[in-house]
Amino acid sequence: MSLYSEFDDPLQPHDRWMRIALAEARAAFDEGEVPVGAIIVHEGRVIAAAHNQREALNDPTAHAEMVAITQAAEHLGSWRLLGCTLYVTLEPCPMCAGAIVQARIPTVIYGTTDQKAGACHTLYQITQDARLNHQSTVLGGVLKDDCRMILQEFFAQQRALGKK
């Protein structure tokens, strides 16, 4: 069953979930982390919600997607996240795209593209590479302006403080 009819805006049904991911991005912003948020939805319910925690954990792998994938796997009791949809405010990087493939996440919805590290559409297409054992359906551009603006605001603030 489709989430929307062929006559509806295909981005619209995803707004509700992306707003939750944006709330996670705002939490990251407030903690001084790059403001990226991610949630994982399974059977119409959020089963994981996370934001970047690289600074807090001193862990280069603590991207929002990675933390959310770990939470969802724990919730489901399986590393296979079949039937799940990942919503993330920024296009996943190569590390996160690889984890998406490994976790068998069938659908990825992201907000804004990542011109420096995007691995779903922009620089690479890891999640759709037919040479890999799993591919994901990917849709970008959901609330893209909101997702882009929080990143721009964060980096403008960091530059004003003489950081990043």
Side-chain angles (χ1 to χ4, degrees), residues 42-154:
H42 181 258
E43 296 179 352
R45 292 184 30 238
V46 175
I47 62 167
H51 55 272
N52 276 356
Q53 296 181 45
R54 293 190 313 168
E55 302 295 335
L57 299 176
N58 290 315
D59 180 353
T61 69
H63 288 199
E65 301 96 308
M66 300 294 282
V67 176
I69 288 169
T70 299
Q71 290 175 3
E74 184 175 323
H75 177 86
L76 294 176
S78 175
W79 60 267
R80 291 177 186 90
L81 301 184
L82 304 173
C84 291
T85 300
L86 169 68
Y87 288 86
V88 60
T89 57
L90 179 65
E91 179 183 2
C93 72
M95 174 183 68
C96 295
I100 289 163
V101 169
Q102 291 300 315
R104 313 294 197 267
I105 298 172
T107 308
V108 177
I109 311 294
Y110 70 85
T112 192
T113 58
D114 185 344
Q115 298 301 314
K116 295 182 179 181
C120 291
H121 286 143
T122 305
L123 298 179
Y124 307 101
Q125 294 79 40
I126 292 172
T127 51
Q128 291 118 359
D129 192 324
R131 296 171 295 178
L132 299 174
N133 63 336
H134 173 78
Q135 291 81 44
S136 300
T137 299
V138 178
L139 175 66
V142 176
L143 298 181
K144 66 182 174 185
D145 294 335
D146 295 336
C147 294
R148 184 183 68 247
M149 286 172 42
I150 192 170
L151 287 161
Q152 289 175 338
E153 180 184 347
F154 176 79

